[in-house]
């Protein structure tokens, strides 16, 4: 028997009935088979006669058999039959991450939980001095029950002739796994596992939040600490599976139970562009799940990367509102009539409202009289003619509603994009979320362009009396600009805007920019012209946490 004669229907070693070809790896073939002794599905790796990887596969199978963590699929048998080397592994119906990512990235909760499960399995393995050696989107599977299984412990590396690997290589692979899960892009120079390479700027891999809007900042930081050398902001690198497990547990919790369906709260947060709130607090219940219901696997006769079917769509589950109370601490039945208040109670409420209005009117009268007396008497006790005061309320006041916003980095001086995925952080009422510019070699944006900024759309022409900008870093110079001419149109070039307020060298904190006269406009441009120096760095970068526009 040879590798070529092992085909569907063949009985290998008098026990394993070959069913279908799942993959081919450098001449080695991976089959789904049935163990006829125990009546169960298995996976069989088959090497041809005389293949130099035979001893590697035997050694890998022995190492894999010693692994006790249930998240690794066990090696059940490894032997030779008629000159053919075969290795039998457990079967787990489900979907590999490789196919799941072909439909797009995971949510922050899903990606963090999946990476934490794999890192904990590897943490236990590394304590024994061994490594997996070939962690990838093809070797991580979400089973039909929603649990995580890691395929090909040691044996995958043997089939690919990459050696046994090391814990350091496994941790690097975990970083790639997390990055790919968050962005559906591969953090490498070439396409891999069906994913296009992630973008690079100035020779440095962009962080997940720079690639896709809505990535939780906590997971973005963890990914950067795994892959960047050195990590941004002088954060300590994560160099072990144990360190990664601890970091991820602080974000998505530590439950090992398969998560339930996605919570509506997380779904709403994703629609708003961020799930930071949903992921930074350890939930009392398991985090949102990967949909455990896969469609049936269908073989098309083509070479397959993996033995598992594609993912089904994950949908949020809407929670039902609790039934209303009847006012006595008990739930009111749907057919129970609503209690009606009596006329006496309504009359008392009406009288109370009238009394309150009378008190307010009297207070206003007394206050006005006191103000007029003050204005009619000078410091020496002499009389002055009291100036006329208006009781008409000002038409201005209060915060204007920001309908939308977009980054502004116009060409040809700019590249047309300046972290557009983070613009929403500047008007989300969360001071901990920010928008940043790119990093530049000089404070005046590397002398490359006059500035960068964000355009805020107020929905309709609005009176603007003040713009408050919460800044990070010392020494930011900025302006408030409005469109020239028709202020209901947003110009595409800097020349189409005119400044109405300027502040130079603003300290960290809130900069209040007040136009010299009332300004009516639909669009407001916050324009940074000089950037503060990054902490512990020779680069310069602007950062805005919140913008408020006052009427």
């Amino acid at each position: 028997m040879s590798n070529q004669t092992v085909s569907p229907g063949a009985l290998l070693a008098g026990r394993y009935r070959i069913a279908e070809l799942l993959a081919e790896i450098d001449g080695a073939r991976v089959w789904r088979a049935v163990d006829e002794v125990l009546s169960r599905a298995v996976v069989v790796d088959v090497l041809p006669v005389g293949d130099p990887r035979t001893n590697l596969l035997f050694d890998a199978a022995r190492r894999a058999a010693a692994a006790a963590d249930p998240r690794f699929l066990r090696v059940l048998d490894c032997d030779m039959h008629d000159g053919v080397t075969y290795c039998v592994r457990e079967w787990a119906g489900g979907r590999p991450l490789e196919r799941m990512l072909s439909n797009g990235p995971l949510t922050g909760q899903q990606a963090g939980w999946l990476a934490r499960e794999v890192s904990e399995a590897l943490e236990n393995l590394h304590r024994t001095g061994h490594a997996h050696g070939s962690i990838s989107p093809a070797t991580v599977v979400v089973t039909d029950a929603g649990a995580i299984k890691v395929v090909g412990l040691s044996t995958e590396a043997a089939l690919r002739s990459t050696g046994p690997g090391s814990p350091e290589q496994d941790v690097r692979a975990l970083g790639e796994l997390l990055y790919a899960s968050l962005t559906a892009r591969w953090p490498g120079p070439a396409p891999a596992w069906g994913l296009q390479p992630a973008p690079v700027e100035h020779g440095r891999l962009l962080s997940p939040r720079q690639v896709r809007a809505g990535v939780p900042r906590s997971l973005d930081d963890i990914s950067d600490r795994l892959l960047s050398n050195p990590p941004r902001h002088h954060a300590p690198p994560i160099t072990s599976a144990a360190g990664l497990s601890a970091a991820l547990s602080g974000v998505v919790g530590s439950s090992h139970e398969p998560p339930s369906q996605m919570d509506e709260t997380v779904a709403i947060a994703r629609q708003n562009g961020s799930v930071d709130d949903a992921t930074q607090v350890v939930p009392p219940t398991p985090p949102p799940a990967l949909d455990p219901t896969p469609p049936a696997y269908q073989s098309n006769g083509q070479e397959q990367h993996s033995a598992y079917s594609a993912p089904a769509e994950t949908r949020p589950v809407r929670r039902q509102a609790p039934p209303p109370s009847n006012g006595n601490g008990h739930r009111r039945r749907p057919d129970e009539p609503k209690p009606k208040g009596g006329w006496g109670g309504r009359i008392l409420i009406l009288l109370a409202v009238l009394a309150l209005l009378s008190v307010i009117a009297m207070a206003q009268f007394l206050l006005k009289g006191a103000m007029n007396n003050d204005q009619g008497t000078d410091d020496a006790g002499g009389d002055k003619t009291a100036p006329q005061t208006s009781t008409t309320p000002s038409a201005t006041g209060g915060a204007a509603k920001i309908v939308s916003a977009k980054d502004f980095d116009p060409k040809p001086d700019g590249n047309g994009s300046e972290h557009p995925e983070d613009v929403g952080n500047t008007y989300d009422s969360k001071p901990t979320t920010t928008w940043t510019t790119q990093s530049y070699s000089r404070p005046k944006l590397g002398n490359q362009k006059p500035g960068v900024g964000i355009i805020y759309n107020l929905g309709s022409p609005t009176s603007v009396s003040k713009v408050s900008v919460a800044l990070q870093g010392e020494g930011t110079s900025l302006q408030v600009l409005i469109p020239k001419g028709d202020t209901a149109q947003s110009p595409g070039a800097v020349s189409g805007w005119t400044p109405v307020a300027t502040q130079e060298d603003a300290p960290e904190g809130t900069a209040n920019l007040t136009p010299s006269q009332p300004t009516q406009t639909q669009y407001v441009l916050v324009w940074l012209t000089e950037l503060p120096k990054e902490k512990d760095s020779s680069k310069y970068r602007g950062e805005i946490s919140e913008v408020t526009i006052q009427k």
Side-chain angles (χ1 to χ4, degrees):
M1 180 177 289
S2 69
N3 193 13
Q4 285 69 36
T5 59
V6 176
S7 58
L11 188 65
L12 180 64
R15 176 172 182 172
Y16 305 109
R17 183 70 64 183
I18 302 299
E20 64 175 333
L21 181 65
L22 301 175
E24 188 162 356
I25 305 173
D26 298 333
R29 292 184 176 180
V30 182
W31 298 89
R32 181 175 66 83
V34 176
D35 182 348
E36 295 193 339
V37 174
L38 298 178
S39 299
R40 63 180 178 181
V42 293
V43 177
V44 181
D45 301 322
V46 178
L47 292 176
V49 176
D51 192 289
R53 291 170 290 181
T54 295
N55 290 333
L56 293 176
L57 188 59
F58 279 138
D59 290 341
R62 281 190 288 268
R63 292 195 302 273
D69 194 290
R71 284 165 288 206
F72 291 120
L73 290 180
R74 294 180 300 158
V75 172
L76 305 173
D77 188 12
C78 194
D79 207 343
M80 296 183 67
H81 178 74
D82 289 345
V84 171
T85 302
Y86 66 90
C87 186
V88 182
R89 305 185 266 117
E90 283 184 304
W91 163 274
R95 298 151 297 160
L97 181 61
E98 177 185 12
R99 291 194 182 178
M100 296 176 69
L101 295 181
S102 67
N103 287 350
L106 306 183
T107 67
Q109 280 280 13
Q110 292 171 334
W113 176 79
L114 183 146
R116 195 216 64 213
E117 285 290 296
V118 179
S119 67
E120 285 189 354
L122 290 174
E123 177 185 352
N124 297 331
L125 177 68
H126 293 170
R127 289 195 184 104
T128 68
H130 299 302
H132 182 284
S134 193
I135 291 292
S136 74
T139 58
V140 175
V141 174
V142 182
T143 71
D144 296 346
I148 298 298
K149 293 291 184 180
V150 182
V151 179
L153 173 58
S154 298
T155 59
E156 184 84 5
L159 294 178
R160 297 183 182 277
S161 302
T162 58
S166 67
E168 292 75 20
Q169 291 172 337
D170 281 352
V171 174
R172 172 73 186 185
L174 281 170
E176 295 170 340
L177 202 73
L178 178 60
Y179 190 103
S181 298
L182 292 169
T183 64
R185 302 288 288 270
W186 186 250
W193 312 111
L195 303 175
Q196 291 300 310
V200 175
E201 183 179 72
H202 305 305
R204 188 182 183 96
L205 181 72
L206 293 186
S207 73
R209 281 173 64 88
Q210 293 175 307
V211 176
R212 184 176 75 87
V215 173
R217 186 176 297 277
S218 50
L219 294 178
D220 184 80
D221 292 340
I222 291 173
S223 174
D224 186 66
R225 292 169 61 193
L226 285 163
L227 296 179
S228 292
N229 184 22
R232 292 171 173 84
H233 312 302
H234 299 275
I238 297 176
T239 58
S240 69
L244 178 58
S245 299
L248 290 172
S249 293
V251 175
V252 298
S254 56
S255 172
H256 298 294
E257 293 296 322
S260 58
Q261 283 285 354
M262 185 187 300
D263 188 274
E264 184 181 24
T265 303
V266 181
I268 294 173
R270 287 187 68 203
Q271 293 170 6
N272 292 337
S274 175
V275 292
D276 270 306
D277 290 346
T279 58
Q280 289 193 352
V281 178
V282 178
T285 56
L290 307 169
D291 179 10
T293 307
Y297 173 79
Q298 295 180 352
S299 174
N300 57 9
Q302 302 294 325
E303 177 178 319
Q304 302 292 329
H305 289 289
S306 176
Y308 307 97
S309 52
E313 183 180 3
T314 302
R315 299 181 182 273
V317 177
R318 184 171 295 277
R319 293 175 176 173
Q320 297 297 324
S325 170
N326 62 7
N328 298 321
H330 302 290
R331 297 294 185 188
R332 177 166 51 83
R333 300 188 306 273
D335 58 345
E336 183 180 343
K338 294 181 179 180
K340 297 183 178 180
W343 280 104
R346 296 180 183 179
I347 292 173
L348 288 175
I349 293 173
L350 179 59
L351 291 175
V353 171
L354 292 174
L356 179 60
L357 292 175
S358 300
V359 171
I360 293 174
M362 181 63 71
Q364 288 179 334
F365 177 78
L366 294 175
L367 179 61
K368 179 180 178 182
M371 291 175 63
N372 288 337
N373 288 337
D374 287 343
Q375 292 170 348
T377 305
D378 62 15
D379 292 339
D383 291 337
K384 282 187 177 180
T385 302
Q388 297 296 318
T389 60
S390 173
T391 58
T392 304
S394 172
T396 63
K401 181 180 179 181
I402 297 174
V403 175
S404 62
K406 63 178 181 179
D407 60 313
F408 190 61
D409 186 24
K411 298 179 179 180
D413 297 323
N415 61 10
S417 178
E418 194 86 8
H419 292 170
E421 71 278 1
D422 290 334
V423 167
N425 293 340
T426 64
Y427 61 104
D428 61 358
S429 300
K430 299 177 183 176
T432 57
T433 60
T434 65
W435 169 84
T436 63
T437 69
Q438 307 288 356
S439 294
Y440 295 89
S441 59
R442 298 178 185 176
K444 291 185 179 295
L445 296 96
N447 294 336
Q448 302 171 17
K449 47 193 171 184
V452 294
I454 300 175
I455 298 173
Y456 295 93
N457 180 7
L458 305 182
S460 61
T462 303
S463 177
V464 175
S465 63
K466 182 173 68 173
V467 179
S468 299
V469 185
L471 300 167
Q472 303 291 326
E474 297 287 339
T476 305
S477 295
L478 68 161
Q479 295 178 318
V480 171
L481 296 88
I482 64 171
K484 294 179 180 177
D486 185 3
T487 60
Q489 300 293 327
S490 176
V494 180
S495 59
W497 297 82
T498 183
V500 295
T502 300
Q503 183 162 344
E504 300 289 341
D505 198 26
E508 182 169 283
T510 300
N512 295 308
L513 291 91
T514 303
S516 57
Q517 58 185 8
T519 301
Q520 192 87 2
T521 182
Q522 179 175 337
Y523 294 94
V524 174
L525 170 58
V526 175
W527 186 241
L528 306 186
T529 57
E530 189 167 349
L531 309 179
K533 192 173 184 180
E534 296 183 48
K535 294 180 180 179
D536 303 320
S537 172
S538 60
K539 299 288 187 179
Y540 295 82
R541 184 181 67 175
E543 186 169 6
I544 298 174
S545 60
E546 206 69 28
V547 169
T548 304
I549 300 174
Q550 296 289 335
K551 294 181 182 179

